[in-house]
Amino acid sequence: MLEKNYNPQDFEEKIYQDWEQSGDFKPDMRQSGEAFSIVIPPPNVTGILHMGHALDETLQDILVRYNRMQGKKVLWQPGTDHAGIATQMVVERNLAKEGISRHDLGREKFIETVWKWKAQSGGTICKQLRRLGASCDWSRERFTMDEGLSRAVRKIFVSLYKDGLIFKAKKLVNWDPKLGTAVSDLEVIQQETVGKMYYYKYPIEGKTGEYIHIATTRPETMFGDTAVAVSKENEKLKHLIGKNCILPIVNRVIPIIADDHADPEKGTGAVKITPAHDFNDFEVGKRHNLPMINILNEDATLNENTPFAGMSTQEARQKTIEKLTELGLMEKIEDHPMVIPYGDRSGVVIEPLMTDQWFVDAPKLAVEAIRVVENGEMQFVPKSYEKTYFEWMRNIQPWCISRQLWWGHQMPIWYGSDGEIFCEETEEEAYAAAEKHYGKKVELTRETDVLDTWFSSGLWAFSTLGWPDDNEYLKTFYPTSVLVTGFDIIFFWVARMMMMSMYAMKQVPFKKCYIHGLVRDEQGRKMSKSKGNTVDPMETIEKYGADALRFFMAAMETQGRDINLSESRVAGYRNFATKLWNAARFCEMNGCKLPEGFSPDSVKLEVNKWIVAKADAATVEVTRHLNDFRFSDAANAIYQFVWGTFCDWYIELTKPIFYGENAEDIAETKATAAWVLDRILVVLHPFMPFITTELWNNLAERKVKLIHAPWPQVKAMRPAAPAIDWAIDLISTIRSLRSEMNLPASAKLHVYLKNMSSDSAAYLQDMQTLVCSLARLENVELFADGQEITKDMVQNVFKEGVLLLPLKGVVDFAAERERLNKELENLNRNLENYARKLSNQSFVERAPANVVAEEKRRQAEAMENKTKVEEALARIVGL
RNA sequence: GGGUGUGUAGCUCAGUUGGUCAGAGCGCUGCGUUCACAUCGCAGAGGUCACAAGUUCGAGCCUUGUCAUACCCACCA
């Protein structure tokens, strides 16, 4: 017996445990069928589930469950990411509470501490994914720092290095002074601010009294200036080219050079060149062979190459201005809108800094990654995202992969005492290589830098499947079927996976990439902790159940759009679950069981034929939409069928049968209802796995678990059952009339139908009892020819004829007149439209014949209806 | 500066190739509890599909422009 109330908290967790313990998420490797696989976008170990995950994982789980039911060999590969910077920050913060810094511990101890932390609190998000119902094969859970994955990282690194695709270079990189590491371009957020533009002047060497005027937003960097650039085209200033000027305060002589980087229209036309601290100036410096003077320490304080060593850039800026003012060189300061780079993790200002770093030759790797998208081997869904992808890939810069952190994959690089580099997968191999190189045993020191987290994530699609070891999983499930992720990590992850996979596997990592939007708050604002508008999915699940949240995500997911989280809507889908629950209870109470060997093709009652056909139609629709990744269409199709068709009509239509006495009809209807309900549970299962499973288990003894139940294959559409649609139309018309005319619910009405076709007459005969019961009529019958229409009869157009409703003084005739007039107006408007169209010569000539015919048919129909309404109006005019 | 979206009912949004597309949910209004369900039922109101021009026999749907709005990339010394 089902509980009276739908209470998801009673069974959701229990059901999940059963799935996991029974191994229901594992692919059946013995089976020969087609494979379907997804690798989860690995959440950070430090992560807790947010609504973005809830969306992402729900979509994946729907696909996974759907394909599993399609009988495929299905693997959803789970795991987490070591998230270098994020995790190191979390652990450092914890240590800070005890007043310890990571330097107190030392590298080795610190890493131990991180592993300990991971063991204790790293699994939160995986527990939460289970609560959401994610059917990942947890027995295969991976971590980017696992031994296996680390081996993959080392192997790829060495291979890339030996292929010349990884190189070391002293370059200007984005330096995060708080974290003390380089970061990639993607990890830098450009933020608009109103800063200042400082105007001052440098004296020209030799001649007194002549100056070159400079504008800059960062005066403190002047100590790193090694030139001033002027454009050759600059008529006013070009005479200064070739002369020298004197850098004030430090009184260093620097040349005035010709370079087109200096735009005569901007600023003063003369640009100070600081090659070691500005990306553009770096290029200028290279062109002119300028010295590069580094003026910053790793914590972004000024160094001993400046007079303000130890000061922050802000302090130094003030000091510089003061000094320049004292020297009478300061001219003006203006407000200036500008963008300032910030570290996405640390939130501090990023400084371009000259350091030794390691780079991946992304432009080379991008070639293949672009090609396979161009030729469709990997398809973005929606397609429009490939533009974004191409745009970025075609302009890609070398990827800085070294990080001066402790937590991460330490690079497999060893140095000889003379700086010779040995890149090998293991220390032993490195030493062997060194011995070969030097001709004797030598000591090596290992590179301390670790790799960017995204380096290992880039291998995720094959490293999690056991690469580099050749194995059955890799063979079966690579390339994976589809990657589901948000547009915000196309560059971070999708692009890198494409590059790495094409390099290592010569095959795409996934055949399709489904990109979804962001989950925003109810007003469409981005959710953020600082705004305080985040919603914890766990709380939503607690309140409405995981099924409701999942269905919400599916129903709202339309391609290429963000989702606004709406609690009332989640509540609505909880109500949907309640509705289904109660419908199942109705079936249970009426003893609906599926008899052995029941075939929906054998049903005789019109109503049963009808629901079977509708169930098939809904199934076809859901299937088609899921195949096309149209989640909202799929969800709405099943929603509409369950609520609008099964509950609103079928159950109501079966009541007269169940409360009647025809044993044969009752038996057939019980069987059919049970069959349809089972169909609902199967088709709804990918969306709402918990309630469907709970009902599946409770309603009958089952030979197969719902999670493995076969997805229905609808071969041919069953014939429709027109009598039921006809009856529904009639019932709705009568209900509408009752409501519009304010007829009391208790009033038992007698309805006549006039001028009915023979089909309609036949339908009426079949449906008479049903219609009476659902429309609360005393009777409904054909209006005999020659019978007189009395004055108290309300008339309403129905199908090809007229519906007559005698009202012995229960009705307000003024209101009725108004209603008829309104209808007449409508008809007139439509008729005008039809007339206009049909009198249009070119329409009649050029539109397809069936369209024209349809238009004519509608016109004729409207004409008839108009006559009927006018007659009815004339009839009641005196009442 | 370059690029990509979005603008449809009070709100949040569907609307796949131009011709049953003017829709859903919530909200609102009226009526209704004899037992599947008030986490409900029945009925209803409400929209010049941002604006303008164009293509077409026919335009939320295609083209161009305008306005509004969101985001991405690059850069502004």
Side-chain angles (χ1 to χ4, degrees):
Chain A
M1 270 291 279
L2 292 172
E3 297 285 331
K4 184 166 188 320
N5 293 314
Y6 164 63
N7 209 333
Q9 308 307 337
D10 290 349
F11 55 81
E12 290 190 341
E13 286 176 271
K14 196 184 68 199
I15 286 174
Y16 194 92
Q17 278 164 22
D18 171 64
W19 285 329
E20 191 176 354
Q21 282 160 14
S22 316
D24 289 325
F25 303 151
K26 292 185 190 172
D28 181 357
M29 297 303 280
R30 290 160 307 179
Q31 176 199 335
S32 60
E34 199 183 326
F36 180 88
S37 56
I38 293 185
V39 287
I40 203 169
N44 291 355
V45 265
T46 54
I48 51 167
L49 196 80
H50 56 63
M51 281 296 177
H53 294 120
L55 169 64
D56 194 51
E57 315 306 347
T58 295
L59 300 182
Q60 290 173 70
D61 197 46
I62 288 170
L63 294 174
V64 161
R65 286 178 186 272
Y66 166 65
N67 279 284
R68 193 181 282 128
M69 293 170 97
Q70 288 277 17
K72 295 181 192 166
K73 232 185 281 187
V74 172
L75 174 67
W76 187 7
Q77 171 64 51
T80 50
D81 193 294
H82 69 280
I85 293 175
T87 309
Q88 177 160 332
M89 279 173 73
V90 167
V91 176
E92 280 192 276
R93 212 177 299 137
N94 288 345
L95 287 173
K97 283 180 204 152
E98 300 163 38
I100 307 171
S101 92
R102 73 172 204 265
H103 300 283
D104 297 337
L105 289 179
R107 184 167 185 147
E108 213 164 303
K109 275 270 176 207
F110 177 75
I111 289 171
E112 245 172 67
T113 313
V114 181
W115 278 108
K116 226 179 280 168
W117 176 89
K118 191 235 166 198
Q120 278 168 12
S121 13
T124 310
I125 196 153
C126 294
K127 281 191 209 99
Q128 293 175 317
L129 287 175
R130 287 176 168 91
R131 188 64 192 83
L132 187 68
S135 58
C136 319
D137 182 357
W138 294 107
S139 68
R140 295 186 50 83
E141 186 179 343
R142 295 290 184 271
F143 180 53
T144 47
M145 294 264 285
D146 277 352
E147 182 39 41
L149 275 66
S150 300
R151 191 154 65 93
V153 166
R154 289 195 299 271
K155 193 172 169 73
I156 295 283
F157 186 97
V158 171
S159 169
L160 283 167
Y161 180 81
K162 292 187 171 168
D163 286 347
L165 294 165
I166 283 182
F167 57 91
K168 189 182 190 180
K170 196 174 189 79
K171 282 194 18 174
L172 205 52
V173 294
N174 301 300
W175 183 262
D176 188 314
K178 183 177 173 192
L179 299 169
T181 180
V183 293
S184 75
D185 296 348
L186 288 175
E187 290 159 285
V188 178
I189 311 290
Q190 305 287 347
Q191 255 187 62
E192 302 239 351
T193 36
V194 178
K196 304 276 184 207
M197 179 73 89
Y198 302 88
Y199 294 83
Y200 52 83
K201 54 191 180 183
Y202 294 163
I204 302 295
E205 189 188 30
K207 281 196 218 161
T208 45
E210 205 181 341
Y211 295 94
I212 187 160
H213 300 267
I214 304 287
T216 180
T217 54
R218 303 199 56 186
E220 74 280 7
T221 61
M222 65 176 279
F223 307 112
D225 288 3
T226 52
V228 171
V230 166
S231 167
K232 286 191 291 288
E233 316 291 318
N234 192 328
E235 296 300 329
K236 275 197 245 164
L237 296 178
K238 69 178 183 187
H239 68 281
L240 293 171
I241 294 169
K243 297 184 177 169
N244 290 328
C245 62
I246 298 170
L247 205 56
I249 306 175
V250 288
N251 295 321
R252 183 148 50 77
V253 177
I254 57 173
I256 296 169
I257 59 171
D259 197 290
D260 285 338
H261 169 59
D263 181 344
E265 305 299 315
K266 283 185 184 165
T268 61
V271 190
K272 64 194 271 307
I273 301 299
T274 322
H277 295 283
D278 182 283
F279 289 101
N280 285 313
D281 293 3
F282 180 78
E283 295 302 320
V284 177
K286 274 205 296 196
R287 281 201 285 275
H288 298 269
N289 248 324
L290 296 173
M292 311 224 170
I293 302 177
N294 181 16
I295 61 158
L296 292 179
N297 297 309
E298 290 192 352
D299 62 356
T301 57
L302 274 75
N303 67 16
E304 64 288 351
N305 290 334
T306 73
F308 303 131
M311 285 187 200
S312 74
T313 50
Q314 282 302 322
E315 290 166 340
R317 183 171 304 171
Q318 284 317 309
K319 279 284 177 195
T320 307
I321 296 161
E322 279 171 31
K323 281 282 187 190
L324 288 169
T325 311
E326 278 172 33
L327 295 168
L329 298 171
M330 202 63 211
E331 303 193 292
K332 61 178 174 178
I333 301 174
E334 284 176 349
D335 283 344
H336 181 70
M338 56 191 289
V339 282
I340 296 183
Y342 288 90
D344 65 347
R345 288 280 167 189
S346 63
V348 301
V349 175
I350 296 295
E351 293 289 349
L353 203 65
M354 289 290 300
T355 45
D356 278 320
Q357 300 292 347
W358 292 86
F359 297 86
V360 164
D361 190 344
K364 281 225 180 78
L365 290 181
V367 173
E368 278 296 281
I370 291 168
R371 188 183 61 84
V372 289
V373 175
E374 279 170 345
N375 70 15
E377 282 174 53
M378 201 291 275
Q379 297 171 332
F380 279 98
V381 182
K383 197 175 187 320
S384 57
Y385 281 106
E386 72 175 37
K387 242 183 175 169
T388 315
Y389 174 85
F390 285 142
E391 185 63 23
W392 192 73
M393 277 296 207
R394 288 173 178 150
N395 295 300
I396 198 164
Q397 299 297 312
W399 168 22
C400 176
I401 49 166
S402 44
R403 296 289 179 277
Q404 289 67 51
L405 302 171
W406 287 355
W407 176 242
H409 298 280
Q410 195 171 349
M411 300 190 2
I413 293 282
W414 284 263
Y415 298 104
S417 53
D418 59 351
E420 183 69 23
I421 291 170
F422 301 96
C423 178
E424 299 294 342
E425 286 181 49
T426 63
E427 191 159 32
E428 295 76 60
E429 290 172 279
Y431 271 89
E435 190 175 342
K436 201 172 160 199
H437 174 77
Y438 293 112
K440 58 173 181 181
K441 283 194 190 322
V442 292
E443 278 303 302
L444 300 176
T445 48
R446 184 163 183 182
E447 170 64 62
T448 53
D449 285 0
V450 299
L451 286 165
D452 180 4
T453 298
W454 297 101
F455 189 96
S456 51
S457 322
L459 318 182
W460 188 249
F462 51 90
S463 64
T464 51
L465 294 174
W467 188 90
D469 295 331
D470 200 19
N471 74 86
E472 202 185 348
Y473 275 81
L474 191 62
K475 255 186 259 160
T476 309
F477 295 113
Y478 191 91
T480 62
S481 309
V482 57
L483 182 79
V484 178
T485 194
F487 68 82
D488 49 332
I489 58 168
I490 292 178
F491 305 144
F492 273 116
W493 194 46
V494 177
R496 271 114 180 226
M497 274 176 110
M498 290 296 293
M499 290 192 286
M500 293 299 217
S501 301
M502 288 316 297
Y503 172 76
M505 307 296 287
K506 311 283 177 253
Q507 266 193 93
V508 293
F510 29 81
K511 295 172 204 150
K512 293 200 167 137
C513 181
Y514 183 84
I515 300 284
H516 58 248
L518 252 46
V519 181
R520 298 168 173 277
D521 76 0
E522 193 135 22
Q523 283 78 43
R525 295 171 309 183
K526 211 165 163 171
M527 284 194 188
S528 74
K529 278 184 200 149
S530 56
K531 270 187 225 140
N533 62 345
T534 53
V535 180
D536 180 355
M538 287 300 124
E539 284 175 21
T540 308
I541 288 174
E542 196 60 40
K543 197 164 169 190
Y544 299 105
D547 280 336
L549 179 60
R550 291 172 59 110
F551 204 89
F552 168 83
M553 293 297 180
M556 298 304 289
E557 175 58 20
T558 52
Q559 294 183 0
R561 226 175 146 126
D562 289 345
I563 289 179
N564 292 358
L565 184 70
S566 151
E567 182 167 350
S568 68
R569 201 137 181 168
V570 177
Y573 292 120
R574 187 269 324 267
N575 295 355
F576 172 63
T578 306
K579 188 76 180 174
L580 174 64
W581 186 266
N582 284 307
R585 283 180 60 229
F586 173 84
C587 293
E588 187 184 47
M589 284 171 186
N590 286 287
C592 299
K593 290 263 187 226
L594 193 62
E596 198 72 34
F598 171 81
S599 162
D601 295 317
S602 68
V603 297
K604 296 194 179 61
L605 288 180
E606 198 71 3
V607 67
N608 290 332
K609 284 185 190 161
W610 178 79
I611 194 66
V612 165
K614 294 272 185 201
D616 272 358
T619 306
V620 168
E621 218 181 323
V622 173
T623 307
R624 180 165 54 91
H625 290 314
L626 281 181
N627 288 340
D628 293 345
F629 300 100
R630 300 188 69 92
F631 293 96
S632 77
D633 288 332
N636 287 332
I638 186 64
Y639 179 98
Q640 180 51 40
F641 176 69
V642 171
W643 201 320
T645 304
F646 186 69
C647 292
D648 285 351
W649 288 106
Y650 182 70
I651 287 184
E652 295 310 316
L653 293 167
T654 60
K655 282 177 182 172
I657 300 171
F658 285 135
Y659 303 153
E661 285 173 4
N662 185 323
E664 209 177 305
D665 288 358
I666 291 175
E668 181 186 296
T669 305
K670 279 183 179 176
T672 310
W675 182 86
V676 175
L677 187 55
D678 278 2
R679 171 63 68 87
I680 287 171
L681 298 181
V682 169
V683 174
L684 186 58
H685 180 260
F687 305 89
M688 295 189 143
F690 294 112
I691 184 177
T692 50
T693 299
E694 179 70 3
L695 294 176
W696 181 264
N697 294 344
N698 277 281
L699 289 172
E701 290 293 320
R702 304 292 184 174
K703 291 198 188 90
V704 59
K705 282 180 151 187
L706 182 57
I707 189 172
H708 300 302
W711 190 264
Q713 306 295 323
V714 179
K715 300 218 168 54
M717 285 305 215
R718 294 166 204 276
I724 298 295
D725 289 319
W726 184 91
I728 286 175
D729 207 347
L730 179 56
I731 293 162
S732 298
T733 305
I734 296 169
R735 280 174 178 172
S736 205
L737 270 175
R738 290 188 84 120
S739 175
E740 275 170 37
M741 299 173 69
N742 274 324
L743 302 185
S746 53
K748 281 274 181 180
L749 307 175
H750 198 123
V751 167
Y752 298 94
L753 296 176
K754 189 170 178 288
N755 298 341
M756 288 289 110
S757 67
S758 56
D759 278 349
S760 286
Y763 297 152
L764 176 61
Q765 197 171 2
D766 279 354
M767 296 293 129
Q768 196 169 30
T769 359
L770 217 47
V771 173
C772 287
S773 136
L774 267 69
R776 293 191 174 191
L777 303 181
E778 195 177 270
N779 198 9
V780 52
E781 57 187 312
L782 288 178
F783 196 69
D785 283 347
Q787 193 177 337
E788 201 195 338
I789 299 177
T790 56
K791 283 193 169 182
D792 70 323
M793 281 184 182
V794 170
Q795 299 186 40
N796 196 81
V797 177
F798 177 70
K799 298 285 181 192
E800 64 278 359
V802 183
L803 179 154
L804 300 170
L805 183 57
L807 296 166
K808 289 166 191 135
V810 257
V811 103
D812 177 354
F813 282 99
E816 172 63 2
R817 259 200 303 281
E818 204 179 308
R819 185 184 70 80
L820 287 171
N821 272 319
K822 213 166 148 189
E823 199 174 335
L824 196 59
E825 259 176 56
N826 259 328
L827 284 168
N828 279 330
R829 216 178 6 249
N830 287 342
L831 279 169
E832 271 175 45
N833 283 334
Y834 299 139
R836 192 174 336 111
K837 256 190 173 175
L838 288 166
S839 66
N840 182 341
Q841 197 78 18
S842 46
F843 172 74
V844 180
E845 278 167 16
R846 306 175 71 156
N850 62 324
V851 174
V852 178
E854 175 65 11
E855 206 66 16
K856 281 188 179 155
R857 195 194 58 74
R858 283 189 226 171
Q859 185 188 34
E861 190 181 74
M863 291 282 239
E864 268 179 56
N865 289 346
K866 187 183 171 182
T867 318
K868 290 177 202 165
V869 171
E870 278 170 345
E871 276 172 15
L873 255 178
R875 196 162 298 282
I876 67 163
V877 81
L879 292 168

